[in-house]
């Protein structure tokens, strides 16, 4: 299927994902109250995927070469794990990172995101930190949560977690973006995205795993769509949707 079909199909599945997960979460977001804890899930280490315990297999590399959106699971200490999606995108790092860090445009780029409002920024020579309030929705269910993003340009990596100084509807959430130049093809990048989510309600393990994989896969697809559109806008060429194998 082509990218447009993949994005639309992924969007429908992401709505299902959100409906199941959001419906299981107890209300409780509040900007003036601290979160229930200061972090339960292990945070991702900034840097290449090897540092978070992931390495592409030869089969996965072949799948990427065929244009597929590769999905896998990373084992985590303490049991469980996180889903990771990997996708090759024919756009430069600059454009890809501009899309990922354009928080104010998330409601236009990310299916189900109603608001993404930045309330604090702190930059150093090596890190660009951003705190934003998210409001997401599926089938009429709205949830609110607060995220601390840490983008490290020299590592070409972003990690994120909840802002524990504010109370979110999710019990915990951590995530990871990494963008590297393609190992063999000039003008392409390889994008890695992973996240973990802990709910305050209960969802059957297999259901959560399946739907989390869908949401992770959808994240790389929206970044591909927006990055390719921007690349063609800058070059003045017509944007034709590529095909992404079995994605």
């Amino acid at each position: 299927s082509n990218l447009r079909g993949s994005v639309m199909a992924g969007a429908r599945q992401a709505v299902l994902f959100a409906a199941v997960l959001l419906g299981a979460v107890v209300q409780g977001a509040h900007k003036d109250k601290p979160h229930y804890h200061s972090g339960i899930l292990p945070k991702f280490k900034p840097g290449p995927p090897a540092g978070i315990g992931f390495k592409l297999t030869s089969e996965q590399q072949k799948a990427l070469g065929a244009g597929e959106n590769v999905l896998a699971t990373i084992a985590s200490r303490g049991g469980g794990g996180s889903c990771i999606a990997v996708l090759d995108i024919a756009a430069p790092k600059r454009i890809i990172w501009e899309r990922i860090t354009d928080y104010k445009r998330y409601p236009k780029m990310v299916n189900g995101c109603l608001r993404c409002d930045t309330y604090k920024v702190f930059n150093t020579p090596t890190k660009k930190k951003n705190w934003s309030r998210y409001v997401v929705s599926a089938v009429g269910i709205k949830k609110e949560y607060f995220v601390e993003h840490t983008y490290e340009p020299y590592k070409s990596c972003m990690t994120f977690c909840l802002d524990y100084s504010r109370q979110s509807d999710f019990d915990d959430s951590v995530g990871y973006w990494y963008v590297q130049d393609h190992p063999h093809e000039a003008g392409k990048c390889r994008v890695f995205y992973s996240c973990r989510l802990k709910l305050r309600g209960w969802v059957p393990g297999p259901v959560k795993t399946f739907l989390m994989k869908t949401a992770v896969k959808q994240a790389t697809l929206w970044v591909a769509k927006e990055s390719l559109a921007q690349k063609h806008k800058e070059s003045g060429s017509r944007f034709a949707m590529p095909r992404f194998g079995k994605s």
Side-chain angles (χ1 to χ4, degrees):
S1 60
N2 61 26
L3 176 57
R4 184 184 299 277
S6 297
V7 170
M8 292 180 68
R12 289 192 294 269
Q13 290 176 306
V15 168
L16 173 62
F17 159 80
V20 173
L21 294 189
L22 296 183
V25 182
V26 180
Q27 286 277 10
H30 202 297
K31 70 180 181 65
D32 296 320
K33 293 181 180 180
H35 199 53
Y36 308 98
H37 53 74
S38 58
I40 294 174
L41 297 173
K43 295 178 175 59
F44 287 92
K45 178 182 177 182
I52 65 169
F54 179 73
K55 183 179 179 181
L56 288 166
T57 65
S58 57
E59 287 301 312
Q60 290 168 337
Q61 292 186 50
K62 289 178 183 177
L64 286 169
E68 295 181 25
N69 194 358
V70 169
L71 297 174
T73 301
I74 306 171
S76 175
R77 64 180 184 272
S82 56
C83 301
I84 187 167
V86 189
L87 184 64
D88 288 346
I89 301 176
K93 278 184 181 179
R94 173 187 62 81
I95 286 178
I96 293 171
W97 276 119
E98 284 174 355
R99 307 283 78 69
I100 295 172
T101 58
D102 194 1
Y103 309 106
K104 66 181 180 297
R105 291 195 66 246
Y106 271 32
K108 295 181 179 179
M109 298 188 294
V110 183
N111 184 69
C113 181
L114 299 183
R115 298 189 67 92
C116 185
D117 303 318
T118 294
Y119 55 89
K120 185 166 68 170
V121 173
F122 180 75
N123 294 330
T124 71
T126 59
K127 295 181 180 180
K128 296 183 178 182
K129 295 180 73 72
N130 171 287
W131 289 259
S132 292
R133 166 185 173 262
Y134 286 79
V135 178
V136 295
S137 175
V139 294
I141 303 170
K142 292 183 182 179
K143 294 297 170 183
E144 179 180 356
Y145 58 106
F146 304 91
V147 176
E148 174 184 332
H149 313 84
T150 303
Y151 170 42
E152 301 183 55
Y154 292 105
K155 294 182 179 180
S156 195
C157 184
M158 178 201 288
T159 53
F160 59 87
C161 62
L162 293 184
D163 175 359
Y164 302 106
S165 70
R166 300 186 178 203
Q167 194 174 101
S168 292
D169 284 332
F170 296 125
D171 191 21
D172 205 1
S173 179
V174 295
Y176 167 94
W177 285 100
Y178 182 76
V179 183
Q180 66 178 41
D181 292 321
H182 193 280
H184 310 299
E185 299 182 50
K188 272 190 176 184
C189 284
R190 184 158 288 172
V191 178
F192 299 78
Y193 174 74
S194 185
C195 69
R196 294 191 73 198
L197 179 67
K198 188 175 186 299
L199 305 170
R200 296 181 60 220
W202 181 82
V203 174
V207 174
K208 180 181 174 183
T209 298
F210 173 78
L211 296 175
M212 279 294 293
K213 284 185 176 180
T214 299
V216 169
K217 177 179 176 179
Q218 179 65 10
T220 51
L221 288 173
W222 78 252
V223 169
K225 174 178 178 289
E226 296 293 336
S227 298
L228 292 169
Q230 180 64 25
K231 174 188 172 182
H232 287 275
K233 179 181 178 182
E234 291 183 7
S235 67
S237 61
R238 185 176 179 180
F239 177 36
M241 292 286 192
R243 292 183 178 275
F244 279 134
K246 297 179 181 178
S247 63

